[in-house]
Amino acid sequence: MKRMSLATRISLLAACAVGIAIAVASLAAYVTLRSQLHSRLDASLLHRAELASQSDLVASAAFNGISTKVLGAADVHIYLIYAGGQIRSPSNRAVIRPISQSEMLVVDGKLDHAFRTINQHGTDYRAVTVPVSSGIALMFTQSQSSIESTIDRVGLVLLLVGAGGIIAAALIGLAVARSALRPVRQLSEAAENIARTEQLTPIPVTGDDELASLASSFNGMLAALERSRDRQRRLVADAGHELRTPLTSLRTNLELLAQADKQGGMNETSRQEIFSDVTAQVEELSTLVGDLVELARDEPLSRTPEPLDMADIVARAVDRVRRRAPSVAFETQVPPWWVVGEAQILERAVTNLLDNAAKWSPAGGTVRIAMNRGELTVSDEGPGVAEADLPLIFERFYRASDARTMSGSGLGLSIVRQAAERHGGSVRAFNRQPHGAIFAMTLPGSPYRPMGERWSPEGAGAPSTPGLAGNGRPRAAVSPATSAAEGHIDPDGAPDAISYRWP
């Protein structure tokens, strides 16, 4: 079954609301009018009957042959009721029977008046009985046809007006709904057009209501999607360019081996050189693919942040890089600095900084690593970075002109920046005098270990039990918040409140 459109449902809702309101108002008006008309008829009959009962003419006459006009009651029928239950009419009207008990009480003088409704030949009459003298009562009856006719006409008018109001409400509701939902239809058409053409064209925004805000939010989403797609395109294009070189070299070496086997083989020295070259290229290709996979992630697959000491992370990274660069000395001055983060990502970032410094340092040079209030600096003794390259050195695949002849993919420093920003920090690079470059990565944290063994991905979690830091001093209570402020040390050595931000 096909569901109704939103505009149709709004129209029906408006019609139902107006219909209920009209029905309640019409019913109240109808009931009130009917009650008022009958009350006025009863009051009029009672007043005229009491006046007639006080007339000497009524008291002394037997009403034989006397017209009701004499009594000023041309629109009523008059009857006399006697104590024995006899009934007489001045105009020889049909006798109304039976007499009710309340009317006999009026005849006996026990009631001042009595009302009842009488039906004769399909017509309803309203009757009032009042006492005249001892043992005699006067009854006035008047047809209710005019009142019922008026009530019926009013009921018909209320019905027609109510039906017209409901129809008008439905039409107006449909028109208003269609007009109000026009921006929604535009959004829907734009989404369909985007799905069909894959063109992320912004939607024109008019007005300042909620739908305009929705359109603005939709445009923001389109802009974010466009930026993401551009980054993806650049990543694919750059990755294809970077992968082409090692793949071409691998293919060349493999073709050379195959051709040598067909021609009777080659000497062992040449074969070992080719195998060494292939092995190096495979390692380079593996590193490049790993870097691409790391950069392709907007978020890590699993988020398990925990308190980490950057001194431990730096120590492990230095041990790893020292084995790869034995000709370079490493000098570290890294005091404890606790951060809440992921060890694998941070260690990869620090390793990339050290690899970069070792690559540019000359044989016998020294790479110095220091930590000062959350800023990890890695300085080398190389030629430094050209001023034109400093703003771009952390971009993906960017390689300075001096670095294009050296091994590498241009992804290491971009991974450093991504890791720092993921942990609420930042990176920067600048030259040192007289030569060399300094790369700095700033991470929010504290010199003391936060209480609690593990932290949730949002950084939430109250400290469980108090403890001591490695130096025996009380650990600082760290409140995870949305700020990325660093910790500061008071003159007495106690840390200020530390706030972390986990993006």
Side-chain angles (χ1 to χ4, degrees):
M1 181 179 178
K2 185 177 180 180
R3 297 185 61 184
M4 293 184 294
S5 65
L6 182 58
T8 303
R9 281 180 279 174
I10 293 176
S11 175
L12 290 179
L13 180 61
C16 291
V18 172
I20 293 174
I22 290 178
V24 172
S26 300
L27 180 61
Y30 183 83
V31 172
T32 301
L33 178 64
R34 184 182 182 89
S35 176
Q36 290 293 326
L37 290 178
H38 281 287
S39 297
R40 292 181 61 183
L41 176 61
D42 288 349
S44 175
L45 274 176
L46 179 60
H47 178 68
R48 295 163 70 183
E50 288 177 344
L51 290 178
S53 66
Q54 297 171 5
S55 172
D56 294 338
L57 177 61
V58 176
S60 60
F63 295 97
N64 287 325
I66 299 177
S67 172
T68 53
K69 294 180 180 180
V70 177
L71 304 174
D75 58 341
V76 299
H77 301 149
I78 301 176
Y79 300 89
L80 280 176
I81 303 177
Y82 296 92
Q86 298 178 353
I87 301 176
R88 297 184 65 181
S89 172
S91 300
N92 294 322
R93 295 286 300 176
V95 176
I96 297 176
R97 291 186 183 279
I99 303 300
S100 66
Q101 182 179 2
S102 59
E103 291 167 346
M104 292 306 299
L105 292 177
V106 173
V107 173
D108 295 337
K110 297 180 180 180
L111 287 178
D112 293 336
H113 62 273
F115 285 100
R116 70 167 170 145
T117 301
I118 301 171
N119 185 277
Q120 279 192 338
H121 309 295
T123 302
D124 288 334
Y125 292 86
R126 190 62 173 168
V128 60
T129 303
V130 296
V132 176
S133 61
S134 179
I136 301 175
L138 180 65
M139 176 186 286
F140 271 32
T141 64
Q142 183 175 354
S143 174
Q144 297 184 117
S145 300
S146 60
I147 294 178
E148 296 297 334
S149 177
T150 300
I151 293 175
D152 291 342
R153 287 196 297 270
V154 171
L156 180 60
V157 170
L158 291 176
L159 180 62
L160 294 177
V161 171
I166 293 174
I167 295 174
L171 295 177
I172 294 174
L174 182 61
V176 171
R178 287 181 175 176
S179 176
L181 294 176
R182 186 176 296 111
V184 178
R185 290 195 298 272
Q186 292 176 351
L187 285 176
S188 178
E189 293 172 357
E192 293 175 356
N193 181 68
I194 291 171
R196 183 176 60 256
T197 64
E198 297 186 359
Q199 297 295 324
L200 303 179
T201 305
I203 300 172
V205 180
T206 57
D208 56 355
D209 55 3
E210 291 81 358
L211 292 177
S213 176
L214 176 62
S216 299
S217 301
F218 194 82
N219 286 339
M221 181 190 69
L222 292 179
L225 289 175
E226 182 69 24
R227 291 193 298 269
S228 177
R229 189 165 65 177
D230 289 342
R231 288 195 301 268
Q232 184 182 20
R233 287 174 176 173
R234 289 197 303 269
L235 179 63
V236 172
D238 294 340
H241 175 74
E242 294 295 332
L243 289 171
R244 188 177 296 113
T245 300
L247 289 176
T248 302
S249 180
L250 279 173
R251 184 174 60 185
T252 301
N253 286 328
L254 293 175
E255 290 177 350
L256 181 60
L257 286 174
Q259 184 177 4
D261 289 340
K262 291 180 180 179
Q263 295 177 355
M266 63 174 60
N267 58 57
E268 187 64 24
T269 301
S270 300
R271 183 181 293 272
Q272 289 299 326
E273 290 177 355
I274 292 178
F275 278 133
S276 298
D277 193 15
V278 169
T279 301
Q281 290 162 358
V282 169
E283 291 179 355
E284 180 182 355
L285 185 60
S286 300
T287 302
L288 178 59
V289 170
D291 291 344
L292 288 174
V293 171
E294 181 68 24
L295 285 175
R297 299 178 186 172
D298 288 334
E299 292 292 335
L301 295 178
S302 60
R303 305 187 67 163
T304 56
E306 58 185 340
L308 302 170
D309 188 358
M310 288 300 298
D312 295 337
I313 292 177
V314 171
R316 291 196 297 269
V318 169
D319 290 340
R320 178 181 301 176
V321 177
R322 183 180 285 119
R323 290 192 294 268
R324 295 201 289 258
S327 62
V328 178
F330 292 88
E331 180 181 303
T332 61
Q333 292 181 351
V334 182
W337 184 260
W338 289 87
V339 300
V340 177
E342 298 179 77
Q344 181 180 1
I345 296 176
L346 290 176
E347 187 172 340
R348 177 70 176 274
V350 175
T351 301
N352 287 355
L353 287 177
L354 298 180
D355 279 333
N356 181 76
K359 180 173 66 175
W360 288 100
S361 295
T366 301
V367 174
R368 293 175 175 84
I369 308 102
M371 172 73 76
N372 181 23
R373 295 179 60 180
E375 185 177 62
L376 177 68
T377 58
V378 178
S379 58
D380 59 52
E381 296 180 351
V385 182
E387 294 297 328
D389 295 329
L390 283 176
L392 305 173
I393 199 167
F394 291 102
E395 297 294 330
R396 293 177 179 177
F397 294 105
Y398 182 81
R399 304 184 71 183
S401 56
D402 296 339
R404 291 170 186 171
T405 59
M406 304 178 67
S407 61
S409 62
L411 296 176
L413 294 180
S414 62
I415 293 176
V416 174
R417 184 181 66 176
Q418 179 173 290
E421 292 176 350
R422 184 173 294 174
H423 288 79
S426 60
V427 292
R428 62 193 181 104
F430 52 94
N431 290 315
R432 60 189 291 256
Q433 297 299 329
H435 55 79
I438 300 177
F439 291 83
M441 179 173 64
T442 303
L443 295 172
S446 166
Y448 305 117
R449 189 187 194 282
M451 289 185 293
E453 293 304 322
R454 298 186 69 85
W455 290 57
S456 66
E458 294 78 19
S464 56
T465 57
L468 297 176
N471 56 5
R473 300 183 60 181
R475 295 171 180 171
V478 182
S479 62
T482 57
S483 171
E486 294 184 4
H488 300 283
I489 305 301
D490 291 336
D492 59 358
D496 293 337
I498 307 301
S499 298
Y500 294 106
R501 181 184 65 188
W502 188 255

